[in-house]
Amino acid sequence: MRDSHFEYFKTIVGDNDCFNDEAHIQAYCYDATRERAYPKYVVFPHNEDEVSKILRYCNDNLISVVPRGAGSGFTGGALPVNGGVVLALEKHMNKILEIDMENMVARVEPGVINAHLQKEVESLGLFYPPDPASEQYSTIGGNVSENAGGMRAAKYGITKDFVMALRAVLPNGDIIRAGKKTIKDVAGYNIAGILIASEGTLGVITEITLKLLAKPKFSQSAMGIFPSIDSAMNAVYKTMASGVTPVAMEFLDNLSIRAVESKFHKGLPVDAGAILITEVDGSLQEDIDYQIKKIEEKFYENGAINFIKAQNSEEAENLWFARKNASQSITIYGSKKLNEDITVPRASLPKLLSKIQEVSDKYGVIIPCFGHTGDGNVHTNVIVNGGDENELKKGHQAIEEIFKITIELGGTLSGEHGIGISKAPFMKLAFNECEMNLFRSIKKAFDPNNILNPGKMAL
Amino acid sequence: MRDSHFEYFKTIVGDNDCFNDEAHIQAYCYDATRERAYPKYVVFPHNEDEVSKILRYCNDNLISVVPRGAGSGFTGGALPVNGGVVLALEKHMNKILEIDMENMVARVEPGVINAHLQKEVESLGLFYPPDPASEQYSTIGGNVSENAGGMRAAKYGITKDFVMALRAVLPNGDIIRAGKKTIKDVAGYNIAGILIASEGTLGVITEITLKLLAKPKFSQSAMGIFPSIDSAMNAVYKTMASGVTPVAMEFLDNLSIRAVESKFHKGLPVDAGAILITEVDGSLQEDIDYQIKKIEEKFYENGAINFIKAQNSEEAENLWFARKNASQSITIYGSKKLNEDITVPRASLPKLLSKIQEVSDKYGVIIPCFGHTGDGNVHTNVIVNGGDENELKKGHQAIEEIFKITIELGGTLSGEHGIGISKAPFMKLAFNECEMNLFRSIKKAFDPNNILNPGKMAL
């Protein structure tokens, strides 16, 4: 039997960029959640015009469309839970269109990989700060759709702070531009602002204009070793409130330190309650020295037992090794890791971490924590034996309790991973009925037929 | 005859905060546009709950509501063009609710005056950078609704870059919170992002959570004198692209310099093509010296004929005098000033200014320009004899042509003043039908009965 939808998509993108075979369906049914949802079609558009034609057709025929970058999201944003079309943007729409040195702006297609852009602009003396852990494979389109963060957010902010303008296709096929290559633009509603972090539910982003900075000439890293997690968390917020703004202020708790050490034998301080790893940057060596000194002071004031300064880039890399390998190392504690990215106001970090310890004790699950404490963002990892139904249930109960604590402390369910399907059940903890109704009205304003990435964000 | 609406409003806010008398109607019928539109009622709510009750009632009874701060807007945002209620927030909802030193965050009611907040946080060693020219009287609620800029935007960004969270009342009376006291928050749509700059058309903002910075310890101002406007505009974007980011980089053209000089006799360089006034700040004196040196280099490279460094705060104030008095001084050229706040990518400034000169020649109107060139924002002032119909017509034609040039150069109709009613006729130059439809769909999602600040933004 002829599949008329499939035939139509082929007329738009060509026979070699439109598939419904098992290999493609398997290749585009997953993301970093390891959940699976099967598309009916996998389509690789070449440009905005093709995206527009496909969306218009799907809107008319009520076919679901899920835009997809690298599929590296942690909450199921790229999973086609209603089947339909996966619109895969990484194959053809992956070009850096312009690096405008005079205005310090880059214009890119959504499929450009974050690290490629960083490398390209750095070769010109410029700097694109957002550096999600997935930077080697995640795409700028995905970063914008989830509003990705990264280690440098403490000083430089997150993806949204760098998006100046977007082009996008609405579910009905309309092509819109939002924002300008200008620092200021207050004409019309801030459409770019609402497309960012909308997880592909409002429009398909086809072009992104990003602000660039000048690459700072100097940087230095350091590590503080703390007797307890409480002393480390106090040091974080007191340092940040002292007027110095490190690029990054990352932490590992004792469980995370031990995990990395047992796997890599780097001589880490396995008896420490926590370590903080930090980096500062600037255009003058004097400024670097000033910042490092200030951080050292604040760390010692808050009980640090040691403060190690990297004297060169090799030593810096050594200091960062623990942080960069924490995520993979903590799998030594169990077969399944339920990782979340809760975020609280920085001054609530001590309380958050002590409450997480209580949850760990209460449910008898271990919860290694590490993350971006400079901006209050903690990666909590509830570790369970995946094969044990009872333990899995306890793990999920522990997570629900951690979410409740986070909200009580004025925090958010997600600092950088988004909601997708994984956190959709918890939206009711964070938003009241009025707020959920408003989300649904906005979704309807953009996508009245609910064809674009349906089933996400508890809409 | 009893006015049942008026009676209802009195039951909510009390007899002393609800008016329909001539004095109040005259007092709340204008803003900085000098246009007039008369409300039927002026109501002064005390809190969010009262705002909610008034909106719910007005929504049910299809009565227009216009939220108002200081009424200092330049585009008619606070004018009640459909009559109805002016909801005046400056009388009671004007409290700084919290300055959280640990998280470096302020929480305020919408009626707080910008300069009061700046002063208060600076007394604690903190810093709220957005500094619109209206800072002495404009309110934070108004600043958020128009996304106000200011001189420091070149380095620190604009109001939106400091809004972490909002509370707001929707037209149906629903109370919502959007955002958190956290740097990162990606749960749900970015409602705060779309309320900012929505000019009071989507919701009434009742509480604002703002990011604060540490107050930089050192600063220095300097002035560059240029033979031509072209050399000055080249110096602006080449300085900004050189890696140094001044707090402010403001300019005056020859007409503006002469106007200030003829009014105040300060010894300004009346033969200069343009002057640039700049300020740098930082936490180290070495950093200040480095930045000033770099700017000096770039200015001379681009043809500056002199570079004057302020050696103390009195000298700095002298340098800034010209810029701060430009707006009032240029009235010497004619009785009516049609001022706009167009913004282009910085590297397009030389072209923009040369095109404005062509427009001036073509229509025979004089157009003094000054403004925030560090972020590409130019205040263009078409000066006409207000009593002369023909000259006024030429002035408006000149403005339309300037808007077209701005859009062609990738710029925006408004860098900081908003659209309101003044720029509504020009929205079609900047947005296509798809984009206007999207704006209207969003307006409808928030305000299906079109009761909130109707008749604005060409919706």
Side-chain angles (χ1 to χ4, degrees), chain A residues 232-300:
Chain A
M233 293 303 101
N234 277 299
V236 167
Y237 86 81
K238 287 181 179 166
T239 303
M240 302 299 289
S242 76
V244 57
T245 307
V247 177
M249 176 71 87
E250 300 281 319
F251 104 112
L252 278 79
D253 69 358
N254 177 272
L255 286 165
S256 304
I257 298 167
R258 283 177 186 269
V260 179
E261 185 58 23
S262 85
K263 211 161 167 184
F264 295 100
H265 314 292
K266 286 277 178 176
L268 292 170
V270 292
D271 296 325
I275 55 177
L276 293 177
I277 312 172
T278 187
E279 185 187 319
V280 300
D281 68 7
S283 41
L284 287 181
Q285 186 57 48
E286 290 88 335
D287 188 28
I288 302 299
D289 297 342
Y290 167 81
Q291 293 183 66
I292 287 284
K293 187 158 166 279
K294 191 105 185 180
I295 294 172
E296 184 173 12
E297 266 171 42
K298 287 286 152 192
F299 278 18
Y300 279 123

Side-chain angles (χ1 to χ4, degrees), chain A residues 359-371:
Chain A
V359 171
S360 169
D361 295 343
K362 176 173 167 186
Y363 291 96
V365 288
I366 80 160
I367 312 179
C369 295
F370 56 85

Side-chain angles (χ1 to χ4, degrees), chain A residues 113-148:
Chain A
I113 290 172
N114 178 302
H116 291 183
L117 176 66
Q118 285 192 51
K119 202 174 153 195
E120 193 70 22
V121 303
E122 286 182 28
S123 75
L124 300 167
L126 296 170
F127 183 34
Y128 177 66
D131 60 341
S134 58
E135 62 190 1
Q136 293 301 330
Y137 39 90
S138 68
T139 63
I140 298 292
N143 292 175
V144 172
S145 298
E146 303 290 337
N147 196 5

Side-chain angles (χ1 to χ4, degrees), chain B residues 192-366:
Chain B
I194 198 140
L195 286 174
I196 297 166
S198 69
E199 306 192 13
T201 64
L202 300 181
V204 176
I205 294 167
T206 49
E207 189 183 297
I208 302 140
T209 301
L210 295 164
K211 181 170 79 169
L212 303 174
L213 305 177
K215 179 79 183 158
K217 283 207 199 81
F218 301 95
S219 67
Q220 188 170 8
S221 295
M223 180 191 281
I225 298 170
F226 291 83
S228 68
I229 204 157
D230 197 56
S231 58
M233 292 304 102
N234 277 299
V236 167
Y237 85 81
K238 287 182 179 164
T239 303
M240 302 299 289
S242 77
V244 57
T245 306
V247 177
M249 176 72 87
E250 300 281 318
F251 104 111
L252 276 79
D253 69 359
N254 177 271
L255 287 166
S256 305
I257 298 167
R258 283 176 186 269
V260 179
E261 185 59 22
S262 85
K263 210 162 169 183
F264 295 100
H265 314 292
K266 287 277 178 176
L268 292 169
V270 292
D271 295 324
I275 55 176
L276 293 177
I277 312 172
T278 187
E279 184 187 322
V280 302
D281 69 5
S283 41
L284 286 181
Q285 186 57 48
E286 290 89 334
D287 189 26
I288 302 299
D289 298 341
Y290 167 81
Q291 292 182 67
I292 287 285
K293 187 158 167 279
K294 192 105 186 183
I295 294 171
E296 184 173 11
E297 265 172 43
K298 287 286 150 191
F299 278 17
Y300 279 123
E301 266 175 43
N302 288 283
I305 49 184
N306 202 355
F307 186 78
I308 303 160
K309 292 176 240 185
Q311 301 302 344
N312 52 48
S313 63
E314 201 189 326
E315 287 184 26
E317 249 174 68
N318 265 333
L319 293 186
W320 282 102
F321 185 90
R323 173 63 186 87
K324 291 193 172 159
N325 290 281
S327 185
Q328 56 151 309
S329 299
I330 55 170
T331 52
I332 64 162
Y333 294 118
S335 63
K336 198 165 170 73
K337 178 173 84 171
L338 309 168
N339 71 320
E340 301 298 343
D341 65 320
I342 52 172
T343 304
V344 294
R346 279 190 298 260
S348 300
L349 282 167
K351 196 157 212 173
L352 175 70
L353 274 295
S354 98
K355 291 264 184 190
I356 288 173
Q357 188 53 53
E358 288 172 24
V359 172
S360 169
D361 295 342
K362 176 171 168 188
Y363 291 96
V365 288
I366 82 161

